[in-house]
Amino acid sequence: MSNTTSKKLRNQVMYQIFVRNFTKEGTFKAIIPSLDRIKSLGVDIIWFAPIHPIGKLNRKGSLGSPYANMDYRSINPEYGTMADFKKTVKAIHEAGMKCMIDVVYNHTSPDSVLAKEHPEWFYHKPDGSFGNRVGDWTDVIDLDYNNKELWDYQIDSLKMWAEIVDGFRCDVAPLVPIEFWQKAREEVEKVHPGCIWLSESVDPGFIMTMRELGLTAQSDSEMYQAFDILYDYDIYGDLTNYVSGTGTLSYYSDAINRQEYIYPDNYVKLRFLENHDQPRARFLFPKERALRNATAFLYFQKGMTLIYAGQEYGVSHLPSLFDKDTVEWKSKDNIDLTPLMQKLYEIKQSDLFADSTYRTKTYEDNVIKAIHSRGDDKLIGVFSLDGEPGIIPIHAEDGCYENLIDGNKIEVMHGYISISGEPIIIKC
């Protein structure tokens, strides 16, 4: 892992925006009025889903996926101009936040600029035609990183954008050679020192499938050699298995605990309940109190927190990647989590979230207890993921404590704590 990766990234919150569906207008300009509200949530970084032109050949849906990139060096005209983008980034910076963009370096659209100008930089099927290695990605064709000229082009593109933005979220980064990412990081650092690198690392099943086909698919341990932050897809399936009833909360807890000793000391995971590829948190936790607990646990986890636009209002519908499908900001069924998120962000600024030993334990397969500890300092979180009350053991001296979330008094008696069903965080 990069020895420059700061543990303080664990204190931070990232907010994802898909420009097309964030507002009715679907433009950069239309985002600017929302920046103060986003900042007030407790957000450090805004990440834009791909902002580049979208291919038309083999397009999915009416407007196409932003991950079918047609030109790495220009702006999707549906969103505005390069000047509009730079103005939006300037407004993000003025609001006290950083800006990251999505880069899709494993593949392009079949009608991309590179496919036309440099067909030799692509993977070709036995018959010589363009192709891709993952069957259901029918709107893209794969690049071939055996071509070092491609490395130069892609790195130059990153350096161009690094003069404007503060970091990159790299789509399916484990499918691109780690040596490329290491070189890219080294070169970009010359243009933008401290640039932030986030890898969309992939789930274990996908890694195994790709390797069985003889293809590149790097593990999280490998990806930490070049990236600051990795998705937690290595354990996300254990969470959804618990929610769906096909797995247990204790199995998910064990998976979290393993991360503490299989990754570098300064590992940073991107903790999320939802993103553009996964169901909304409200879909996973439809009951309000359960959703509040899941949200509090999300922030309490060791790592950077991700909010996908709309999550702060408990939006249940996941917008389409392929069509105009604006976030339902004012649905009568929404749940406003803004005050909770603001308080959780405040709590998350504790030094313990940046540098601690972290462990979790479950009770009755519905309550998860998590502890950040360093020396004599300890933060304990108790989260009822079904929103129900109960009594669990706790390693804290008997007495009264303040719930840092809502200010209520929490009593520990004979080594047990009574929970009402609302999330609890106490300092010991």
Side-chain angles (χ1 to χ4, degrees), residues 318-354:
L318 183 69
S320 169
L321 272 182
F322 313 117
D323 303 286
K324 180 64 178 174
D325 190 9
T326 307
V327 175
E328 298 172 339
W329 294 107
K330 296 183 178 180
S331 169
K332 61 180 177 58
D333 296 321
N334 287 356
I335 297 171
D336 187 2
L337 298 172
T338 297
L340 175 62
M341 288 182 168
Q342 289 171 331
K343 190 62 182 179
L344 291 168
Y345 180 78
E346 179 183 322
I347 296 168
K348 194 174 179 66
Q349 301 316 297
S350 165
D351 290 341
L352 271 179
F353 282 94

